[in-house]
Structure formats: structure tokens, C-alpha cells
Amino acid sequence: MIKQDHNDPLDLIFSKALEGRVLFKNHKALQSDFVPNHLPFRNNQLSSIGQILAPILHSSKPSNLLIYGKTGTGKTAATKHVIAKLFETAQNKKIYSKFVYCNARMSGTEYRTLAELASNIGLSVPFTGLAVTEVLSRIQQFMKKNSLKVVLVIDEIDYLVKAYGDNLLYDITTSSDKISPGFLSLIGISNDLQFKEQLGARVQSRLSEEELVFPPYSAEELRTILTERASIALNPGSYTNAAIGLCAALSGSEHGDARRAVDLLRIAGEIAEREASECLEERHVRIALQKIDQDRVSEALKTLPIHSKIVLLAALYSSKADPTHSSSGTVYDKYCDLCKRTGLEALTTRRVSGLLTELDTLGLVSATVVNYGRYGRTKKINPEISMESATKVFETDDTMKLLLLPLH
Ligand SMILES: Nc1ncnc2c1ncn2[C@@H]1O[C@H](COP(=O)(O)OP(=O)(O)O)[C@@H](O)[C@H]1O
Ligand SMILES: [Mg+2]
């Protein structure tokens, strides 16, 4: 037997782990892909999806459906919930139909989305190599031959359309002759409210035979949702109502986003557990909020084009040197210095001014126009993020790393 040394921090960690998780009784229930059995405030949407898909129970083709609403409004959870229930009912009644769910952002390409559909209906296609139209036509032939009745859900469908246009959706929604006596109904889900405008008129009317909008949740609704979720995921007495309320309030008003609320609660729980606290409290939620916001900033920074990164760093330097007089002019001068150091050719003031407006939209800088009467106007520029959070991300970028070093 290994001797336990009470001063050894590892012993403490492992013995705590052996005791089991103090706060969580079901950690999975706070992960974002968890589908709860009960979805409060979504009765109307659940019934609508149910009604639209019900014809499949007497072997008729359900209408195509377009679902949209902001992130975290329950679109994925509600759709999966209805599909699971429908699948169960169909099986019990020995009705042979297939329900296929895929996420376009995860699959990444048209080809992989179709390959997923193929494998789910029992048709094997090579991993790569065929033309997309060829894969679709094999699927259609296979469905015809076997009279397959399929409901296909493409979640985050806007990713496909942004990357490839709407030709595939056109082909899918016009394929009934090629599949009959089988059929394929399509449910498209989009987080992007403007998605419909990116579709051509012919696809628009075919895909949105039926349409469903998921509105954002209020803070009060989020509190109810979260209270239910906490009772599944956390041990009784291991969290305060105030902590739940704070998660709801921080995800309500501005966002209406249940994913953010659930994420906040999970991360706060992990922080409390790591601290070996016996109770999840408001202060844990506040630390979790900082972490979530830092993650959001890092994500936004990572994907910026190089000139925007340099402009942002110039804004940070300019504001550090003199916060009250940091303007589009001082930022531009700094930006030109930085470009020289990287060997990149500087963009014009006009382009940089455009990039500053974009950074403002992303919430990374604030750009306010100040009028100096007859001396003209200028834009006051100050960063909305700290040098530390920018440095964390820029250190991992080869070009930007050089610009973090002090000038000699
Ligand atoms: N009405 C609800 N009741 C319980 N949990 C919900 C509800 N709406 C959303 N959630 C939960 O919030 C998270 C995000 O929901 P999701 O369906 O993924 O949103 P969307 O697909 O609209 O972005 C998931 O963990 C989900 O289980
Ligand atoms: Mg979703």
C-alpha cells in the first residue's frame, strides 16, 4: 500500500476525487448537447414541429420546414426532442421511416453532409472523390429502389449556403420524382436571422413551405429553465438560488440565450469544485463570466485578418500612451510604424478607418465621433479589451508576436 502523506497535494486531490464529485451528480446534463426531456416555454414550437412531421406516421411526405432564431433559443434541442419521440412512435407502430440529423458546421462540406445522410440510410459512398451531384444521385437512386421515407435535419444550414450557395438545397428540394415512391423532407435550422435572404427565390419558397421562429428567452424564463436543469445536474443543497438567478440575469436581457446560461452554470460549478467549495455561489458565477467573455474575445481575435489585428494593437498602444487623445489619427500613425516593423505595406487611412468601424461592430474597440467645431471632426478610439487578453492571443501568431516586443 502506498503511504499517504497529508502534506502531499496530490493525495488531497485524489482522495477528493475518490469521494466522488461533491457538486455534480450528472455533469452531462450541463453540457450543451444535452437534450432535456422537458423544454419549458417551447410548447408552441414543439407542437408545430410535431404537426408538420406527423404525416410521416401515415406514410405521407411532411412539408419542408425552415426554423430560425438566435443562438441558444432551443432550436436544436426542440427539433431533436420531436424527432426522437416521432422515431419511437413510428417504431412502435412498425412504420418504416428514417430520421437523419446532421450539423453543417460540424460536417464542414456539402460532400460530408451528403455522406452522412448516405451512411445513415445504409448506403456506402467513398469518403472523397465523387462529385457532389454524383453522391446525391446515388442517394436518390437508393431511396427510390428501397422506397425510403426520410426526414433530414440540416442544423446550422447557413454554413452550407455561405460556403457553397444554394444549388444543393435546390437539388434536394426538387428531387421528389427521382425518389418516388420514397421521399425526402428537409428541415433546415439557422442561427442567422438573415439567412433566408441569401437563398434564391426558388429555394426560398421550397425550403420554407413551413416556417418557425424561436424568440429569445427572458431572464425570468431562463431562471425557470436553469432551476430545472440544476436539479438534474447538481446535488441538492450544493448551489444557491442567487447563483442560478445571476446566471439567468447575465444571459437574459441582452442575449436571451439558454446556452450561455447553461454554460455559465457548468463553468461556475467546475470552478467551485476545483476550489473544493461545497456550495456554488454568485462569486463563482462572476469568475465563470470572465472566463466566457475571455473565450469570446479570444475567438474573435483569432479570426481577424492580419491588418485588423495590427490596427487593434495600434489602438491598444495609442490608448496606453495617451487615453484621452487616442484618435483615428494617432492609431493610424502607430499602425504605420507597426507595419514597417513587419515589412507589410500599410493600407490607406480610409481603409484603416473602415477596419476600425468593423472592430467597433465586433465590440473590440469603441469609436466615437467627436466634433471640434470649425476645426473639423475626429474619431476617438479606445480599445474595449485589455492588453493582457490581446497579448494572450497575439503571442500565438507569428507576425503579431514580433510586434509585442518593445521597440529598441
Ligand atoms: N426551453 C428549454 N428548456 C430547457 N433547456 C433548454 C431550453 N431551450 C434551450 N435549452 C438548453 O439550452 C442549450 C442551448 O439550446 P439549443 O437547442 O442548442 O439552442 P440553439 O440550437 O437554438 O442554438 C441546450 O443545452 C439546451 O438543452
Ligand atoms: Mg443549435
Side-chain angles (χ1 to χ4, degrees):
M1 202 178 111
I2 299 173
K3 209 175 120 269
Q4 284 219 343
D5 172 356
H6 288 293
N7 293 321
D8 186 340
L10 282 179
D11 276 340
L12 193 65
I13 293 169
F14 295 155
S15 63
K16 281 235 172 273
L18 282 172
E19 282 167 19
R21 304 192 88 160
V22 189
L23 294 180
F24 291 99
K25 64 176 177 194
N26 180 0
H27 187 266
K28 272 207 181 87
L30 288 180
Q31 280 162 5
S32 51
D33 53 359
F34 179 81
V35 181
N37 274 331
H38 179 221
L39 291 162
F41 314 111
R42 284 301 177 243
N43 275 343
N44 290 344
Q45 285 81 0
L46 291 169
S47 325
S48 300
I49 303 175
Q51 261 156 16
I52 292 164
L53 295 183
I56 202 159
L57 292 175
H58 42 84
S59 294
S60 311
K61 180 186 180 302
S63 301
N64 294 325
L65 165 65
L66 177 62
I67 294 177
Y68 50 102
K70 284 189 173 174
T71 308
T73 50
K75 302 180 297 298
T76 301
T79 309
K80 282 187 169 170
H81 184 82
V82 177
I83 296 278
K85 189 112 195 198
L86 197 53
F87 175 70
E88 204 185 298
T89 315
Q91 275 218 318
N92 287 342
K93 299 269 177 244
K94 309 242 173 318
I95 296 161
Y96 190 64
S97 43
K98 290 252 178 203
F99 300 93
V100 181
Y101 170 90
C102 53
N103 181 303
R105 183 169 55 87
M106 304 290 198
S107 338
T109 63
E110 287 185 333
Y111 193 100
R112 286 183 50 187
T113 305
L114 285 181
E116 260 177 69
L117 168 60
S119 96
N120 273 291
I121 59 174
L123 167 70
S124 75
V125 293
F127 285 125
T128 57
L130 300 178
V132 168
T133 46
E134 170 62 21
V135 182
L136 183 61
S137 121
R138 287 191 192 184
I139 290 172
Q140 290 164 339
Q141 280 164 26
F142 183 80
M143 288 181 66
K144 189 177 189 75
K145 204 171 100 203
N146 297 288
S147 350
L148 290 188
K149 301 176 169 51
V150 178
V151 172
L152 169 66
V153 181
I154 306 186
D155 203 347
E156 309 203 41
I157 195 170
D158 42 311
Y159 276 82
L160 274 193
V161 176
K162 266 184 207 125
Y164 300 96
D166 64 3
N167 284 342
L168 177 63
L169 297 186
Y170 179 76
D171 291 342
I172 290 179
T173 51
T174 51
S175 55
S176 40
D177 287 350
K178 295 174 192 149
I179 301 176
S180 159
F183 58 70
L184 178 66
S185 296
L186 181 63
I187 302 183
I189 306 179
S190 165
N191 288 332
D192 176 356
L193 305 179
Q194 263 85 51
F195 166 70
K196 228 177 112 176
E197 290 152 29
Q198 292 160 20
L199 298 173
R202 7 165 250 179
V203 180
Q204 221 180 82
S205 60
R206 288 201 163 86
L207 175 58
S208 55
E209 285 172 339
E210 300 280 354
E211 239 178 66
L212 214 51
V213 180
F214 279 56
Y217 295 112
S218 70
E220 227 12 77
E221 289 173 335
L222 287 177
R223 181 199 275 272
T224 307
I225 290 173
L226 221 45
T227 306
E228 246 172 61
R229 192 63 73 86
S231 70
I232 306 172
L234 302 170
N235 283 317
S238 71
Y239 56 96
T240 65
N241 287 336
I244 303 285
L246 185 58
C247 290
L250 291 170
S251 317
S253 53
E254 196 185 327
H255 310 272
D257 178 346
R259 168 156 327 121
R260 186 177 157 93
V262 171
D263 283 347
L264 264 176
L265 187 62
R266 186 190 63 254
I267 294 168
E270 285 162 1
I271 291 166
E273 203 173 51
R274 219 168 299 139
E275 272 187 5
S277 298
E278 272 160 24
C279 186
L280 191 173
E281 292 167 357
E282 283 164 281
R283 64 189 175 86
H284 299 121
V285 177
R286 294 217 166 79
I287 306 173
L289 177 69
Q290 275 173 13
K291 185 172 177 328
I292 282 190
D293 283 347
Q294 170 66 40
D295 290 351
R296 185 190 64 85
V297 167
S298 305
E299 229 13 78
L301 289 189
K302 263 186 224 151
T303 51
L304 287 178
I306 185 68
H307 280 282
S308 301
K309 284 184 182 161
I310 301 177
V311 170
L312 179 59
L313 187 62
L316 282 157
Y317 281 144
S318 155
S319 162
K320 195 170 162 200
D322 183 355
T324 40
H325 296 102
S326 173
S327 67
S328 39
T330 61
V331 172
Y332 187 71
D333 292 344
K334 233 344 23 40
Y335 160 79
C336 291
D337 286 350
L338 294 174
C339 281
K340 237 182 244 153
R341 284 172 69 187
T342 59
L344 282 170
E345 198 174 324
L347 301 172
T348 59
T349 37
R350 209 189 149 89
R351 287 286 303 284
V352 169
S353 168
L355 296 184
L356 279 168
T357 309
E358 278 172 30
L359 292 172
D360 184 42
T361 316
L362 289 172
L364 296 172
V365 305
S366 79
T368 18
V369 177
V370 182
N371 268 311
Y372 287 106
R374 61 197 176 92
Y375 300 108
R377 300 184 322 155
T378 183
K379 251 192 208 163
K380 271 192 78 147
I381 305 289
N382 280 298
E384 291 283 341
I385 58 167
S386 66
M387 189 58 127
E388 292 75 55
S389 36
T391 305
K392 257 188 216 155
V393 178
F394 289 162
E395 269 168 356
T396 62
D397 177 319
D398 286 341
T399 309
M400 295 308 292
K401 199 160 59 184
L402 297 174
L403 301 178
L404 296 170
L405 303 171
L407 269 180
H408 298 297

mmCIF file of all heavy atoms in Angstrom, residues 110 164-172 202-203:
data_model
loop_
_atom_site.group_PDB
_atom_site.id
_atom_site.type_symbol
_atom_site.label_atom_id
_atom_site.label_comp_id
_atom_site.label_asym_id
_atom_site.label_seq_id
_atom_site.Cartn_x
_atom_site.Cartn_y
_atom_site.Cartn_z
ATOM 1 N N GLU A 110 -20.321 20.232 -48.215
ATOM 2 C CA GLU A 110 -21.516 19.624 -48.814
ATOM 3 C C GLU A 110 -21.324 18.116 -48.927
ATOM 4 O O GLU A 110 -22.226 17.334 -48.656
ATOM 5 C CB GLU A 110 -21.733 20.184 -50.230
ATOM 6 C CG GLU A 110 -22.223 21.602 -50.258
ATOM 7 C CD GLU A 110 -22.550 22.094 -51.678
ATOM 8 O OE1 GLU A 110 -21.950 21.582 -52.655
ATOM 9 O OE2 GLU A 110 -23.386 22.968 -51.812
ATOM 10 N N TYR A 164 -21.191 27.544 -50.149
ATOM 11 C CA TYR A 164 -21.388 26.918 -51.466
ATOM 12 C C TYR A 164 -22.551 27.474 -52.284
ATOM 13 O O TYR A 164 -22.793 27.025 -53.397
ATOM 14 C CB TYR A 164 -21.643 25.411 -51.305
ATOM 15 C CG TYR A 164 -20.525 24.655 -50.635
ATOM 16 C CD1 TYR A 164 -20.562 24.385 -49.277
ATOM 17 C CD2 TYR A 164 -19.427 24.203 -51.379
ATOM 18 C CE1 TYR A 164 -19.537 23.680 -48.660
ATOM 19 C CE2 TYR A 164 -18.409 23.500 -50.768
ATOM 20 C CZ TYR A 164 -18.461 23.248 -49.404
ATOM 21 O OH TYR A 164 -17.458 22.563 -48.810
ATOM 22 N N GLY A 165 -23.327 28.392 -51.684
ATOM 23 C CA GLY A 165 -24.528 28.819 -52.403
ATOM 24 C C GLY A 165 -25.652 27.812 -52.183
ATOM 25 O O GLY A 165 -25.505 26.886 -51.382
ATOM 26 N N ASP A 166 -26.762 27.966 -52.926
ATOM 27 C CA ASP A 166 -27.937 27.160 -52.592
ATOM 28 C C ASP A 166 -28.258 26.060 -53.608
ATOM 29 O O ASP A 166 -29.339 25.491 -53.587
ATOM 30 C CB ASP A 166 -29.157 28.071 -52.361
ATOM 31 C CG ASP A 166 -29.550 28.821 -53.630
ATOM 32 O OD1 ASP A 166 -28.911 28.596 -54.679
ATOM 33 O OD2 ASP A 166 -30.505 29.616 -53.570
ATOM 34 N N ASN A 167 -27.294 25.721 -54.486
ATOM 35 C CA ASN A 167 -27.578 24.706 -55.506
ATOM 36 C C ASN A 167 -27.958 23.351 -54.931
ATOM 37 O O ASN A 167 -28.900 22.707 -55.397
ATOM 38 C CB ASN A 167 -26.376 24.507 -56.438
ATOM 39 C CG ASN A 167 -26.269 25.662 -57.418
ATOM 40 O OD1 ASN A 167 -27.250 26.383 -57.604
ATOM 41 N ND2 ASN A 167 -25.099 25.849 -58.000
ATOM 42 N N LEU A 168 -27.224 22.932 -53.876
ATOM 43 C CA LEU A 168 -27.509 21.621 -53.297
ATOM 44 C C LEU A 168 -28.922 21.603 -52.707
ATOM 45 O O LEU A 168 -29.670 20.630 -52.887
ATOM 46 C CB LEU A 168 -26.479 21.278 -52.214
ATOM 47 C CG LEU A 168 -26.724 19.954 -51.504
ATOM 48 C CD1 LEU A 168 -26.616 18.781 -52.469
ATOM 49 C CD2 LEU A 168 -25.759 19.767 -50.335
ATOM 50 N N LEU A 169 -29.285 22.717 -52.041
ATOM 51 C CA LEU A 169 -30.631 22.763 -51.450
ATOM 52 C C LEU A 169 -31.687 22.735 -52.544
ATOM 53 O O LEU A 169 -32.753 22.137 -52.385
ATOM 54 C CB LEU A 169 -30.797 24.008 -50.572
ATOM 55 C CG LEU A 169 -29.876 24.082 -49.363
ATOM 56 C CD1 LEU A 169 -30.238 25.275 -48.488
ATOM 57 C CD2 LEU A 169 -29.951 22.795 -48.554
ATOM 58 N N TYR A 170 -31.382 23.353 -53.652
ATOM 59 C CA TYR A 170 -32.310 23.299 -54.789
ATOM 60 C C TYR A 170 -32.473 21.852 -55.238
ATOM 61 O O TYR A 170 -33.599 21.353 -55.403
ATOM 62 C CB TYR A 170 -31.795 24.168 -55.939
ATOM 63 C CG TYR A 170 -32.705 24.137 -57.139
ATOM 64 C CD1 TYR A 170 -33.902 24.852 -57.143
ATOM 65 C CD2 TYR A 170 -32.383 23.362 -58.259
ATOM 66 C CE1 TYR A 170 -34.758 24.811 -58.230
ATOM 67 C CE2 TYR A 170 -33.235 23.313 -59.345
ATOM 68 C CZ TYR A 170 -34.421 24.037 -59.325
ATOM 69 O OH TYR A 170 -35.268 23.987 -60.401
ATOM 70 N N ASP A 171 -31.325 21.164 -55.418
ATOM 71 C CA ASP A 171 -31.393 19.777 -55.883
ATOM 72 C C ASP A 171 -32.143 18.884 -54.897
ATOM 73 O O ASP A 171 -32.918 18.015 -55.298
ATOM 74 C CB ASP A 171 -29.984 19.216 -56.114
ATOM 75 C CG ASP A 171 -29.323 19.888 -57.312
ATOM 76 O OD1 ASP A 171 -30.057 20.493 -58.126
ATOM 77 O OD2 ASP A 171 -28.079 19.834 -57.424
ATOM 78 N N ILE A 172 -31.918 19.117 -53.604
ATOM 79 C CA ILE A 172 -32.597 18.276 -52.611
ATOM 80 C C ILE A 172 -34.097 18.531 -52.616
ATOM 81 O O ILE A 172 -34.898 17.600 -52.575
ATOM 82 C CB ILE A 172 -32.037 18.530 -51.186
ATOM 83 C CG1 ILE A 172 -30.603 17.988 -51.079
ATOM 84 C CG2 ILE A 172 -32.911 17.849 -50.124
ATOM 85 C CD1 ILE A 172 -29.950 18.199 -49.733
ATOM 86 N N ARG A 202 -36.380 30.573 -55.731
ATOM 87 C CA ARG A 202 -36.948 29.228 -55.938
ATOM 88 C C ARG A 202 -36.665 28.328 -54.737
ATOM 89 O O ARG A 202 -37.512 27.537 -54.316
ATOM 90 C CB ARG A 202 -36.393 28.554 -57.204
ATOM 91 C CG ARG A 202 -35.276 29.297 -57.896
ATOM 92 C CD ARG A 202 -34.542 28.476 -58.887
ATOM 93 N NE ARG A 202 -33.196 28.190 -58.403
ATOM 94 C CZ ARG A 202 -32.313 27.475 -59.047
ATOM 95 N NH1 ARG A 202 -32.626 26.930 -60.207
ATOM 96 N NH2 ARG A 202 -31.116 27.279 -58.546
ATOM 97 N N VAL A 203 -35.462 28.441 -54.149
ATOM 98 C CA VAL A 203 -35.149 27.605 -52.995
ATOM 99 C C VAL A 203 -35.907 28.104 -51.773
ATOM 100 O O VAL A 203 -36.410 27.311 -50.976
ATOM 101 C CB VAL A 203 -33.631 27.599 -52.712
ATOM 102 C CG1 VAL A 203 -33.313 26.728 -51.516
ATOM 103 C CG2 VAL A 203 -32.878 27.119 -53.937
#
